[in-house]
Amino acid sequence: MDSDLSPQDKKDLDKFIKFFALKTVQIIVQARLGEKISTCSSSSPTGSDWFNLAIKDIPEVTHEAKKALAGQLPGIGRSMCVEISLKTSEGDSMELETWCLEMNEKCDKDIKVSYTVYNRLSLLLKSLLAITRVTPAYKLSRKQGHDYVILYRIYFGEVQLTGLGEGFQTVRVGIVGTPIGTITLSCAYRTNLALMSSRQFERTGPIMGIIIDHFVERPFTNMAHMHPCSYRAPGEDEGGTYAGIEDSQEVCNTSFSTSPPSQLYSSRLSYQTHALGTVDLCHHTACTAAAHPHQMVVPGKEGGVPQVPAQPTHGTAAEHSRIPSCPTGQSPQPAPPTSCSSEVKTVSPSDALESNFTRKVGAFVNKPTTQVTTTSLDLPFAAFAPRACDLQENDPMVHPPPSPAPSSPLQSSLHSNSSSHSGGQPQDDFVMVDFKPAFSKDDLLPMDLGTFYREFQNPPQLASLSIDVSAQSMAEDLDSLPEKLAIYEKNIDEFDAFVDTLQ
Amino acid sequence: MNCRSEVLEVSVEGRQVDEAMLAVLHTILLQRSTGKFHYKKEGTYSIGTVGTQDVDCDFIDFTFVRVSSDELDRVIRKAVAEFKDALGNSGSDGMGQISLEFYQKKKSRWPFSDECIPWEVWSIKVNVVNLANEQERQICREKVGEKLGEKVINIVEVINRHDYLPKMPTQSEVDNVFDTSLKDVQPYLYKITYQITDSLGTSVSTTMRRLIKDTLAL
């Protein structure tokens, strides 16, 4: 088979496949960073833009990809996969999707490597750009931050899809035929977003390679001037340039020749090394990030209570209570998959997302009607679990102390009666809460803005607009007309005076 | 040569029309644009670099990718705005169709003018719905976002079939295949047209055509 391919073509093809794989990984990981990506078009070729597409290279991602490939190329039976997963602040994880770059045996001998294959690979990368914004994990990744982060892992070899749960969907991004096989790029994504809280994670190596996390406060709004992929890592010395990526400095100066219809295209590829022009980007490495997944405390955003660092006990405890032991306390309903709550109903991704991240409620204001027994549970910070309604008068969040400091609610809640009665029915999956904004006083007005809005969202029709047809008939209308006219004529002076006031 | 024709249908609320159309048109154009060609001597050419940009929609839960070319974006936005105005002014119940047609020019001898031969036509049928309250609008935001996601997948599937594409032209022929008027990217030659369906379900143009045919048949 390979004997049909000239050595130059074979060399070119291998190069294309290698850089295609690297660029594929870059696109996928960058699409899950949680920011909008923006690169500039350039009419003059710079020589370093493979496939004529401006895709920045994050050095750490390239390093990871090369490590996974270990000098091999994706080929028949050797697939390159990028696994995207979600990890909550409690330590629960869930695989969201797996992108697979595979090759099958179907060869296209007649295809021109240096021209057609190259252009089709370029087209496939553009399609990948479009598809990465469409799978459910994109929305989740845009909202990552304090409650969860999105992680990626690159591996080479057999495709593993078992972690995606039942009913996962597959979308094919595209295929490109080459003389040595057909390259296919596809994505398998999870549809069942219920977190498996009972899982104790025992994997051989760190499953999460690198954490994509900015540790920046994110208001979840459109950020039009996103800096494409600029991060700060706490350990600057761990980022920076990596040794051993000298061949990523190879550039592709592709020039194509045109000739009239005989279609003999020849290309000349020249490789030059030059200083890396890519943005110098630093990332967290696995060890730092995995140990401290969430460090950022934003007082006021979550009721001013710091996040509970991930501990293994939470996994087990959460299994019983289904109440997050982290201080964001009651999860807004329906239970979102990505907050601290550990058991999540299967909801459609968009539903879950909206409920979780549009409401940051004061942690201790809510007095949920359903309670779960916490006394029997070995929960750290059990005091943060929902308390009985009769404690409302003592709750500092409802009646704020004169000078609220972030630590005072914490202290007072620790001192207050922490035993809660198990009233209501224990909800396995989520907790019904009343939405009450922090520091709201409900002694002045019987209802707050949220309740008011909900009640008056669908107001009834005005009585005058709803004509009861059965009561009146046309004939009766006509009969009553003369009387009405008589009255109006009697009051004609009044009407005239009114009209005069308008002028 | 047969022209490939694809039809996509979307139902959107009035304020979502712009963004839905932009999302679909830009997604198609992203995959039908290359960098600028630079022809050198000996008949070789090199290709410029295409940048991309994420665009978040305000009225739809959706993000799409477009080519980083403000000029191209302006042209598309103008066409979509005209379509939306026509849809609003038509007085019909909000149904119309916008078409993105890729074509090649074929030079003809004098006195005939150049022929425009389409090789791919994308038709997007739009149905504008009216919603009663905020709750329905919120649901619509999400549903339309999901639908647009499906459309993007459909578009990618069609494009990756690698069916007919015009051959790469020589320098003298490049304007017959590509739109070289933009300074940073080079899409295939395209035109955007639209038609508004009146309330009888027939389009205005088909009615006119029928009238003319009937007249000529007499």
Side-chain angles (χ1 to χ4, degrees):
Chain A
M1 250 186 255
D2 284 351
S3 57
D4 293 339
L5 211 57
S6 73
Q8 181 60 38
D9 274 351
K10 177 78 173 72
K11 193 172 154 200
D12 288 347
L13 187 58
D14 286 345
K15 209 93 197 166
F16 292 168
I17 292 175
K18 174 183 164 187
F19 281 96
F20 177 76
L22 294 176
K23 289 293 181 184
T24 297
V25 175
Q26 288 288 348
I27 290 176
I28 293 168
V29 172
Q30 287 175 29
R32 298 287 173 262
L33 292 174
E35 320 182 303
K36 290 203 298 188
I37 304 296
S38 175
T39 55
C40 298
S41 301
S42 160
S43 64
S44 16
T46 57
S48 60
D49 294 321
W50 274 92
F51 306 104
N52 309 117
L53 273 179
I55 299 164
K56 291 222 161 83
D57 283 322
I58 300 176
E60 192 181 70
V61 175
T62 305
H63 179 72
E64 284 300 311
K66 287 189 172 166
K67 212 165 73 172
L69 287 172
Q72 293 184 298
L73 286 178
I76 298 167
R78 300 189 312 266
S79 309
M80 191 188 74
C81 300
V82 182
E83 182 186 282
I84 301 290
S85 49
L86 176 152
K87 187 171 177 184
T88 66
S89 54
E90 279 192 323
D92 285 323
S93 332
M94 182 164 72
E95 278 172 41
L96 296 176
E97 52 187 22
T98 300
W99 298 83
C100 308
L101 176 59
E102 303 171 279
M103 189 180 276
N104 66 36
E105 293 103 2
K106 191 174 163 194
C107 303
D108 187 344
K109 293 278 169 41
D110 303 322
I111 205 169
K112 295 281 179 293
V113 168
S114 55
Y115 166 66
T116 311
V117 173
Y118 189 82
N119 284 341
R120 286 188 181 176
L121 289 174
S122 175
L123 182 60
L124 189 50
L125 288 176
K126 289 174 192 161
S127 303
L128 180 63
L129 279 164
I131 297 281
T132 42
R133 275 65 175 169
V134 155
T135 52
Y138 180 72
K139 286 197 193 126
L140 283 169
S141 67
R142 286 293 296 268
K143 295 176 179 179
Q144 68 180 298
H146 304 291
D147 297 322
Y148 67 93
V149 282
I150 303 290
L151 310 174
Y152 73 91
R153 177 173 82 103
I154 308 170
Y155 63 91
F156 193 69
E158 290 280 323
V159 178
Q160 298 153 25
L161 298 178
T162 48
L164 293 173
E166 284 178 13
F168 65 86
Q169 303 264 5
T170 309
V171 59
R172 191 170 78 172
V173 183
I175 61 170
V176 173
T178 74
I180 59 172
T182 299
I183 297 170
T184 63
L185 185 54
S186 60
C187 171
Y189 60 91
R190 166 187 282 273
T191 51
N192 174 13
L193 287 172
L195 261 178
M196 293 176 334
S197 59
S198 54
R199 221 160 48 164
Q200 287 290 359
F201 242 43
E202 304 282 352
R203 295 222 189 175
T204 48
I207 179 163
M208 304 309 161
I210 313 298
I211 295 180
I212 312 164
D213 195 345
H214 296 258
F215 292 160
V216 287
E217 295 174 31
R218 192 187 310 278
F220 303 145
T221 52
N222 288 349
M223 292 181 271
H225 329 294
M226 247 328 118
H227 230 328
C229 315
S230 75
Y231 315 178
R232 297 282 176 271
E236 284 274 347
D237 52 340
E238 290 166 287
T241 52
Y242 284 82
I245 51 168
E246 56 283 347
D247 55 350
S248 77
Q249 295 172 343
E250 289 180 66
V251 295
C252 173
N253 258 334
T254 327
S255 61
F256 301 96
S257 81
T258 59
S259 63
S262 59
Q263 294 298 300
L264 283 171
Y265 289 80
S266 65
S267 79
R268 280 176 216 115
L269 296 169
S270 61
Y271 302 107
Q272 311 159 11
T273 56
H274 64 82
L276 265 179
T278 55
V279 176
D280 182 25
L281 301 158
C282 304
H283 287 260
H284 313 294
T285 55
C287 43
T288 33
H292 308 286
H294 299 273
Q295 317 256 332
M296 212 48 150
V297 172
V298 185
K301 269 207 171 169
E302 283 144 11
V305 179
Q307 286 266 12
V308 177
Q311 295 172 19
T313 47
H314 287 208
T316 1
E319 187 187 337
H320 296 290
S321 71
R322 308 289 185 249
I323 294 289
S325 52
C326 74
T328 45
Q330 306 77 7
S331 44
Q333 56 88 21
T338 51
S339 74
C340 301
S341 74
S342 47
E343 178 63 42
V344 169
K345 279 168 78 101
T346 308
V347 292
S348 73
S350 45
D351 283 341
L353 296 170
E354 295 302 318
S355 56
N356 186 34
F357 297 105
T358 50
R359 295 194 253 179
K360 291 274 185 190
V361 302
F364 298 97
V365 174
N366 302 334
K367 298 289 158 271
T369 51
T370 62
Q371 299 288 338
V372 173
T373 316
T374 53
T375 48
S376 60
L377 298 170
D378 183 21
L379 279 180
F381 300 103
F384 296 174
R387 296 190 302 274
C389 296
D390 55 84
L391 294 177
Q392 187 175 352
E393 310 80 64
N394 299 330
D395 192 341
M397 294 302 274
V398 174
H399 303 283
S403 54
S407 56
S408 58
L410 179 63
Q411 286 170 358
S412 38
S413 65
L414 281 173
H415 292 141
S416 66
N417 184 3
S418 62
S419 68
S420 53
H421 72 269
S422 56
Q425 57 283 22
Q427 294 281 342
D428 278 340
D429 296 330
F430 60 89
V431 174
M432 292 290 293
V433 294
D434 277 337
F435 172 51
K436 281 189 191 162
F439 302 110
S440 74
K441 291 185 201 277
D442 53 3
D443 48 343
L444 297 174
L445 213 60
M447 64 176 81
D448 70 347
L449 183 62
T451 325
F452 172 84
Y453 182 74
R454 269 198 301 281
E455 282 194 21
F456 293 103
Q457 202 174 27
N458 290 320
Q461 282 258 340
L462 288 175
S464 55
L465 290 180
S466 56
I467 302 167
D468 195 0
V469 179
S470 59
Q472 272 187 317
S473 71
M474 180 75 101
E476 287 174 359
D477 278 343
L478 287 175
D479 286 343
S480 61
L481 269 180
E483 292 166 12
K484 288 186 185 161
L485 281 173
I487 298 170
Y488 298 149
E489 277 184 27
K490 214 164 61 165
N491 295 331
I492 202 166
D493 296 332
E494 271 183 49
F495 291 126
D496 285 344
F498 174 67
V499 169
D500 288 339
T501 61
L502 293 174
Q503 283 165 6
Chain B
M1 167 195 47
N2 289 324
C3 170
R4 189 164 56 241
S5 173
E6 303 294 333
V7 179
L8 306 163
E9 290 194 41
V10 285
S11 283
V12 294
E13 208 202 345
R15 60 186 187 167
Q16 295 172 323
V17 172
D18 284 304
E19 289 176 339
M21 295 303 102
L22 284 172
V24 174
L25 293 173
H26 271 302
T27 300
I28 299 169
L29 280 165
L30 167 69
Q31 296 167 91
R32 288 284 180 248
S33 300
T34 72
K36 295 286 287 179
F37 282 13
H38 294 275
Y39 287 91
K40 301 179 260 203
K41 30 185 203 263
E42 304 142 16
T44 59
Y45 63 96
S46 57
I47 309 180
T49 302
V50 172
T52 58
Q53 218 166 327
D54 285 342
V55 181
D56 285 338
C57 296
D58 293 325
F59 299 111
I60 312 175
D61 279 348
F62 192 66
T63 301
F64 62 93
V65 185
R66 69 167 175 88
V67 166
S68 283
S69 167
D70 289 339
E71 277 181 82
L72 181 63
D73 188 38
R74 268 196 295 273
V75 169
I76 305 300
R77 278 181 187 272
K78 187 160 166 269
V80 168
E82 281 175 18
F83 171 65
K84 189 183 172 181
D85 287 340
L87 211 53
N89 296 339
S90 68
S92 70
D93 44 0
M95 282 179 62
Q97 177 173 297
I98 191 166
S99 298
L100 173 61
E101 180 186 298
F102 292 101
Y103 65 96
Q104 266 179 271
K105 266 198 265 193
K106 190 172 158 194
K107 295 259 187 257
S108 302
R109 294 186 184 282
W110 182 89
F112 303 105
S113 58
D114 293 342
E115 257 186 281
C116 291
I117 306 172
W119 52 271
E120 188 173 79
V121 178
W122 298 86
S123 303
I124 307 154
K125 291 199 168 130
V126 178
N127 179 29
V128 180
V129 297
N130 290 317
L131 299 175
N133 60 44
E134 203 50 46
Q135 213 166 356
E136 286 183 29
R137 282 197 194 100
Q138 182 59 34
I139 296 171
C140 192
R141 269 184 78 99
E142 294 163 12
K143 285 274 179 286
V144 172
E146 287 170 17
K147 281 288 167 209
L148 285 179
E150 288 170 24
K151 300 304 157 203
V152 166
I153 293 175
N154 291 348
I155 291 167
V156 162
E157 195 187 356
V158 168
I159 285 182
N160 274 273
R161 282 187 213 147
H162 301 302
D163 290 335
Y164 175 79
L165 272 183
K167 294 183 180 44
M168 282 300 146
T170 56
Q171 189 167 12
S172 53
E173 303 264 302
V174 70
D175 291 312
N176 293 343
V177 175
F178 286 102
D179 176 358
T180 51
S181 62
L182 304 171
K183 65 177 194 299
D184 42 14
V185 294
Q186 193 172 284
Y188 281 99
L189 272 176
Y190 69 94
K191 63 170 113 148
I192 299 178
T193 54
Y194 59 84
Q195 51 194 43
I196 307 297
T197 318
D198 64 22
S199 44
L200 291 174
T202 56
S203 71
V204 174
S205 61
T206 42
T207 316
M208 285 307 300
R209 227 178 282 145
R210 211 178 296 138
L211 271 174
I212 293 168
K213 275 206 192 119
D214 292 343
T215 321
L216 290 174
L218 288 170

